[in-house]
């Protein structure tokens, strides 16, 4: 009798392992790592539109780092051998410190029922001006915005809803007027100092050194710690190498190019949405005097001179997305 029970248990164990491995390998599903079991309903199984899977090479993974398993997950993705902004090598301790200040790593809240999300990624481009797309943008399940693109005062053109906002210290809001309790704020980490910055602000420390930043970073965090997540650098890496085909090495006298937050936001959307539409992204920069953003007075010429990004690679990629009907360009008209 004992032997039979043993055999059954062993068989069940083997079946479990096989099923589990197959499930993990299937392109259309991913299982989030656990964080104390409060992430039920987080399993998102949703087919991609044709074209998307070839684009992101069929590998969809959990977009945020979780404190209890980010080292293991980074090992699985190969991120432990790569330095920031594309991996965690050498910064593990700082990732751990920053993550220890966050309450969870959920993508959606439990009451967010539809698991196949229709998303719009709202770029900060001047093409949004006077198009009155606000209502259309708000009608999506998920609205993804980035950096300090304001909603307040621009509702008619850009809408009110912000489900996710991707940011880094230099592009974060300082003014609490922009606080939205319904937003999940996603830190895109470019350097170790970004993690120290988050830790400092959430620990109530005053920022002492701000010279590690290329522009003065926000000196207070307007979001509550339960609203903040850290993007898996593997998403940034995928954006650079698989979507934009940026070189992996740069010669000594050129500044290495990294993807813009806008492009990282689009890659993020492909990991959590079944359908992705774009607004406020532009691929033709012919008129250097036209406005760069839908707010403020910067012009296109500022972007064209940018030495940290490869704007032509981004424009080619955006054009390809629209031409192959992988995304819809809401700012078309
Ligand atoms: C948008 O509309 C406002 C007022 O209607 C106008 O002053 C402004 O020039 C317009 N901007 C663009 C970019 O068309
Ligand atoms: C946040 O969501 C609640 C419930 O859906 C809604 O009533 C409220 O207006 C939203 N707040 C903002 C600032 O969008
Ligand atoms: C979307 O359409 C607008 C208006 O035609 C155009 O300026 C912009 O470049 C397009 N953006 C993308 C990403 O296709
Ligand atoms: C852009 O602005 C500059 C100076 O303000 C002006 O000389 C130039 O003609 C403008 N170019 C276009 C295409 O409007």
């Amino acid at each position: 009798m004992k032997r039979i029970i043993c055999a059954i248990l062993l068989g069940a164990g083997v079946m479990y392992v096989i099923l589990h491995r197959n499930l993990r390998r299937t392109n259309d599903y991913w299982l989030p790592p656990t964080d104390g079991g409060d992430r039920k309903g987080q399993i998102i199984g949703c087919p991609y539109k044709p074209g998307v899977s070839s684009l992101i090479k069929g590998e969809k993974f959990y977009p945020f780092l979780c404190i209890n398993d980010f080292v293991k997950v980074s090992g699985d993705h190969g991120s432990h051998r790569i330095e920031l902004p594309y991996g965690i090598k050498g910064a593990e301790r700082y990732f751990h410190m920053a993550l220890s200040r966050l309450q969870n790593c959920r993508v959606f809240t439990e009451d967010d029922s539809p698991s196949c999300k229709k998303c719009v990624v709202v770029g900060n481009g001047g093409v949004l001006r006077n198009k009155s797309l606000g209502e259309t943008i708000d009608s999506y399940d998920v609205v993804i915005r980035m950096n300090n693109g304001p909603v307040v005062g621009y509702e008619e053109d850009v809408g009110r809803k912000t489900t996710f906002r991707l940011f880094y210290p230099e592009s974060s809001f300082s003014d609490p007027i922009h606080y939205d309790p319904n937003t999940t704020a996603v830190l895109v980490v470019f350097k170790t100092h970004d993690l120290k910055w988050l830790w400092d602000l959430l620990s109530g420390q005053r920022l002492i050194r701000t010279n590690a930043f290329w522009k003065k970073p926000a000196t207070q965090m307007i979001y509550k710690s339960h609203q903040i997540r850290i993007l898996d650098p593997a998403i940034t890496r995928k954006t650079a190498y698989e979507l934009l085909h940026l070189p992996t090495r740069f010669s000594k006298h050129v500044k290495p190019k990294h993807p813009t937050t806008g492009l990282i936001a689009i890659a993020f959307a492909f990991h959590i949405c079944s359908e992705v539409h774009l607004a406020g992204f532009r691929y033709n920069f012919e008129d250097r005097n036209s406005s760069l953003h839908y707010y403020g007075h910067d012009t296109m010429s500022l972007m064209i001179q940018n030495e940290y990004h490869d704007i032509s690679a981004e424009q080619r990629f955006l054009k390809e997305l629209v031409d192959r009907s992988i995304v819809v360009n809401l700012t078309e008209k």
Side-chain angles (χ1 to χ4, degrees):
M1 192 61 192
K2 255 189 192 158
R3 268 200 203 148
I4 293 171
I5 292 174
C6 259
I8 290 173
L9 281 179
L10 200 69
V14 170
M15 280 293 281
Y16 174 82
V17 170
I18 291 172
L19 276 173
H20 201 74
R21 289 183 57 164
N22 275 336
L23 209 55
R24 284 188 70 123
R25 222 183 284 135
T26 310
N27 297 340
D28 292 342
Y29 295 89
W30 42 251
L31 300 174
T34 51
D35 70 338
D38 69 332
R39 281 198 284 159
K40 271 188 215 139
Q42 285 284 294
I43 300 168
I44 297 182
C46 216
Y48 274 137
K49 276 184 68 176
V52 178
S53 35
S54 69
L55 189 77
I56 81 157
K57 309 259 160 59
E59 193 204 335
K60 206 171 175 184
F61 50 79
Y62 200 76
F64 302 142
L65 295 183
C66 300
I67 186 153
N68 57 359
D69 66 358
F70 78 95
V71 174
K72 182 191 171 296
V73 167
S74 295
D76 294 348
H77 291 166
S79 304
H80 62 305
R81 285 184 267 108
I82 304 166
E83 283 167 14
L84 276 167
Y86 302 136
I88 66 161
K89 186 182 167 191
E92 295 86 351
R93 187 160 70 90
Y94 297 101
F95 273 103
H96 191 272
M97 272 168 67
L99 286 165
S100 73
R101 290 277 150 195
L102 309 185
Q103 261 109 69
N104 71 79
C105 56
R106 273 195 303 260
V107 177
F108 297 114
T109 52
E110 280 95 22
D111 50 310
D112 255 335
S113 43
S115 66
C116 286
K117 309 279 187 188
K118 206 172 158 183
C119 305
V120 60
V121 184
V122 185
N124 293 337
V127 278
L128 281 168
R129 280 189 202 223
N130 292 4
K131 291 235 167 63
S132 300
L133 279 173
E135 224 173 291
T136 313
I137 289 172
D138 284 344
S139 71
Y140 284 78
D141 299 322
V142 170
V143 180
I144 302 171
R145 300 184 199 268
M146 65 223 52
N147 301 334
N148 49 355
V151 163
V152 180
Y154 298 89
E155 294 86 348
E156 169 76 21
D157 284 335
V158 306
R160 311 170 177 275
K161 180 163 147 185
T162 307
T163 322
F164 295 101
R165 184 180 287 275
L166 275 65
F167 72 100
Y168 49 91
E170 297 90 339
S171 79
S172 180
F173 287 127
S174 280
D175 186 343
I177 192 175
H178 299 290
Y179 178 68
D180 179 341
N182 303 333
T183 295
T184 295
V186 183
L187 176 70
V188 183
V189 185
F190 287 99
K191 49 195 178 314
T192 328
H193 278 279
D194 299 350
L195 295 162
K196 285 188 204 159
W197 168 86
L198 185 68
W199 188 82
D200 279 344
L201 292 192
L202 294 180
S203 320
Q205 311 251 355
R206 283 182 61 102
L207 281 183
I208 302 163
R209 281 156 48 87
T210 55
N211 54 2
F213 300 90
W214 56 268
K215 201 182 124 205
K216 189 170 186 278
T219 48
Q220 65 168 323
M221 173 51 68
I222 67 163
Y223 299 102
K224 310 249 181 348
S225 66
H226 72 86
Q227 293 175 272
I228 304 170
R229 307 285 184 275
I230 294 178
L231 190 76
D232 187 331
I235 303 253
T236 312
R237 185 168 81 235
K238 223 175 164 74
T239 314
Y241 300 148
E242 290 178 20
L243 304 187
L244 299 177
H245 305 291
L246 296 182
T248 48
R249 279 164 196 279
F250 289 87
S251 68
K252 278 216 177 73
H253 27 270
V254 251
K255 282 238 162 62
K257 307 271 190 267
H258 298 300
T260 57
T261 327
L263 268 286
I264 298 170
I266 295 174
F268 166 65
F270 284 138
H271 281 80
I272 62 161
C273 309
S274 57
E275 208 174 322
V276 177
H277 291 186
L278 305 181
F281 284 90
R282 185 187 232 201
Y283 64 75
N284 52 325
F285 281 180
E286 272 131 46
D287 184 2
R288 299 174 71 97
N289 291 353
S290 63
S291 41
L292 179 58
H293 297 133
Y294 63 83
Y295 54 94
H297 301 290
D298 291 340
T299 60
M300 281 297 170
S301 51
L302 195 71
M303 194 60 161
I304 297 165
Q305 294 156 9
N306 199 309
E307 52 179 355
Y308 297 99
H309 303 304
D310 184 341
I311 298 305
S312 20
E314 302 208 351
Q315 289 173 294
R316 278 196 302 277
F317 175 68
L318 286 173
K319 186 163 181 348
E320 187 193 343
L321 283 183
V322 175
D323 289 351
R324 287 171 61 190
S325 305
I326 293 170
V327 302
V328 169
N329 178 9
L330 276 187
T331 8
E332 197 70 78
K333 278 166 266 89

